[in-house]
Amino acid sequence: MTLPLRLSTVDDTRAFGAKLAAVLRAGDLVVLAGPLGAGKTALVQGIGSGLGVRGPVVSPTFVIARVHRGGRLPLVHVDAYRLHSLDEVDDLDLDVDASDSVTVVEWGSGLVEQLADARLEIRLSRSPDSDERTLELVPRGGDWPDRVAGLA
């Protein structure tokens, strides 16, 4: 576990996402946790920018999953907020693109861990009276601890 990072603005959150993109590889699973407004989508926007994907990265709340192509790696962006079971996650067939893509799942804790043996969990929170966000990186297996060590 890394020390919590303080990000003063939403732009800082996006900038951290772009920095994180530099260490991402095909097959990576990143699981985002945090309340509404904590900065999950802003972080994914930064990851998309850092990967160089085409088009805007917006929350896939109503479509559940979007694939962004055209960059160094495809980005599969999932919003699991409305999913309630492992069966519903399996119905998305996310593992089809998983080995060739970076998969980032908002609200995925407890639902998508079976998609990869190793993953990076990111916990976000937001100060109630400012735009400051706190981000905590939690590497789970593989070489994630080494890869995220330089990001803090």
Side-chain angles (χ1 to χ4, degrees), residues 3-4 8 11 14 20 29 38 40 45 59 68 76 78-80 85 88 92-93 106 108 110 123 135 139 143-144 152:
L3 294 174
S8 298
D11 287 335
R14 288 186 189 104
L20 174 62
L29 174 62
K40 295 179 294 297
Q45 289 169 340
S59 178
H68 301 276
V76 178
V78 179
D79 185 325
S85 71
E88 288 178 308
L92 295 176
D93 289 328
E106 298 185 35
R123 298 177 188 151
L135 181 144
D143 63 350
W144 279 111

Side-chain angles (χ1 to χ4, degrees), residues 13-19 21 41-51 57:
T13 304
R14 288 186 189 104
F16 183 83
K19 186 176 176 181
T41 299
L43 183 67
V44 182
Q45 289 169 340
I47 292 170
S49 175
L51 291 174
V57 175

Side-chain angles (χ1 to χ4, degrees), residues 68-82:
H68 301 276
R69 300 186 190 282
R72 179 172 66 83
L73 294 167
L75 170 64
V76 178
H77 182 196
V78 179
D79 185 325
Y81 184 76
R82 295 184 300 135

Side-chain angles (χ1 to χ4, degrees), residues 12-145:
D12 291 340
T13 304
R14 288 186 189 104
F16 183 83
K19 186 176 176 181
L20 174 62
V23 304
L24 294 176
R25 300 180 194 144
D28 282 347
L29 174 62
V30 180
V31 181
L32 307 181
L36 287 170
K40 295 179 294 297
T41 299
L43 183 67
V44 182
Q45 289 169 340
I47 292 170
S49 175
L51 291 174
V53 300
R54 289 189 306 255
V57 175
V58 296
S59 178
T61 299
F62 296 105
V63 295
I64 301 178
R66 295 183 193 275
V67 178
H68 301 276
R69 300 186 190 282
R72 179 172 66 83
L73 294 167
L75 170 64
V76 178
H77 182 196
V78 179
D79 185 325
Y81 184 76
R82 295 184 300 135
L83 302 179
H84 304 293
S85 71
L86 294 174
D87 289 338
E88 288 178 308
V89 172
D90 287 339
D91 287 344
L92 295 176
D93 289 328
L94 295 177
D95 54 348
V96 171
D97 294 321
S99 64
D100 298 328
S101 307
V102 171
T103 302
V104 181
V105 184
E106 298 185 35
W107 305 98
S109 297
L111 290 174
V112 299
E113 291 82 0
Q114 82 280 3
L115 294 176
D117 292 333
R119 66 190 176 281
L120 177 63
E121 295 175 6
I122 301 177
R123 298 177 188 151
L124 293 122
S125 61
R126 182 174 171 192
S127 174
D129 54 355
S130 77
D131 280 342
E132 183 177 89
R133 286 150 172 87
T134 301
L135 181 144
E136 185 180 6
L137 303 172
V138 183
R140 301 282 188 194
D143 63 350
W144 279 111

